[in-house]
Amino acid sequence: GYADEYLMKGAREFLLELKRRGVKINAASGTDDADVKEEARILGLYDLFDGVEGAKPRSEDCSKEATLRRLIAEGGTDGLIVVGDGPVEIRLGREAGAATVGIAGREADRCGFDEVKCERLKKAGAHVLCDSFENINEIFEFLEG
């Protein structure tokens, strides 16, 4: 549908498959909390997440890093998977012992590797790089392997 034009290719199917497998899914963003929640609703993804959190207004503890650290502390690291397009979450995931999937696609095209992102995510320690979520079977093979 219309909303999928704003998602990396295969993203909705990936989230649905995680949900089907009983995986607890949290979204963390550096964007303002109210905006992140609204975007998730508009995209029709809000109900797929167990939690959606963005930056809190006028808070010292408002970064994506702080949110991720808290989620990791609360949920533990057993079976933890960190998926993201930024070096912050990939680095934190590695520190926590998580499997890390770097999404290094060109956002305008919703797929195809962006070499700058690839370099950044490799340096951050991503275990695997994907340009989108289209190769869902390969992603799950890595996660299960």
Side-chain angles (χ1 to χ4, degrees):
Y2 143 84
D4 290 338
E5 295 171 31
Y6 298 94
L7 300 172
M8 294 305 282
K9 290 185 179 178
R12 184 179 309 278
E13 293 76 13
F14 179 68
L15 289 169
L16 287 166
E17 181 60 17
L18 287 171
K19 206 70 182 159
R20 191 185 70 74
R21 292 171 183 232
V23 175
K24 188 174 177 188
I25 311 168
N26 284 284
S29 175
T31 302
D32 287 346
D33 189 63
D35 293 339
V36 171
K37 287 177 165 70
E38 182 64 13
E39 283 175 28
R41 284 187 187 97
I42 290 168
L43 293 169
L45 300 176
Y46 191 85
D47 293 337
L48 293 178
F49 294 106
D50 294 283
V52 177
E53 285 186 54
K56 306 287 188 265
R58 295 175 302 285
S59 168
E60 289 299 308
D61 192 35
C62 71
S63 69
K64 176 168 46 174
E65 181 172 357
T67 301
L68 279 167
R69 285 190 188 282
R70 188 183 52 67
L71 286 169
I72 290 167
E74 288 173 4
T77 57
D78 189 36
L80 180 66
I81 305 161
V82 175
V83 180
D85 67 353
V88 169
E89 58 265 28
I90 298 301
R91 223 177 356 267
L92 279 171
R94 282 302 294 246
E95 283 174 20
T100 57
V101 179
I103 304 301
R106 294 188 309 269
E107 289 180 27
D109 300 325
R110 299 175 32 243
C111 66
F113 283 104
D114 174 320
E115 290 309 315
V116 175
K117 275 189 184 177
C118 283
E119 211 42 52
R120 259 190 254 139
L121 295 170
K122 272 185 207 164
K123 279 189 183 138
H127 288 103
V128 68
L129 292 178
C130 301
D131 70 326
S132 70
F133 297 95
E134 285 187 296
N135 298 325
I136 196 166
N137 293 334
E138 287 175 30
I139 296 170
F140 280 104
E141 277 173 31
F142 160 73
L143 294 173
E144 291 162 353

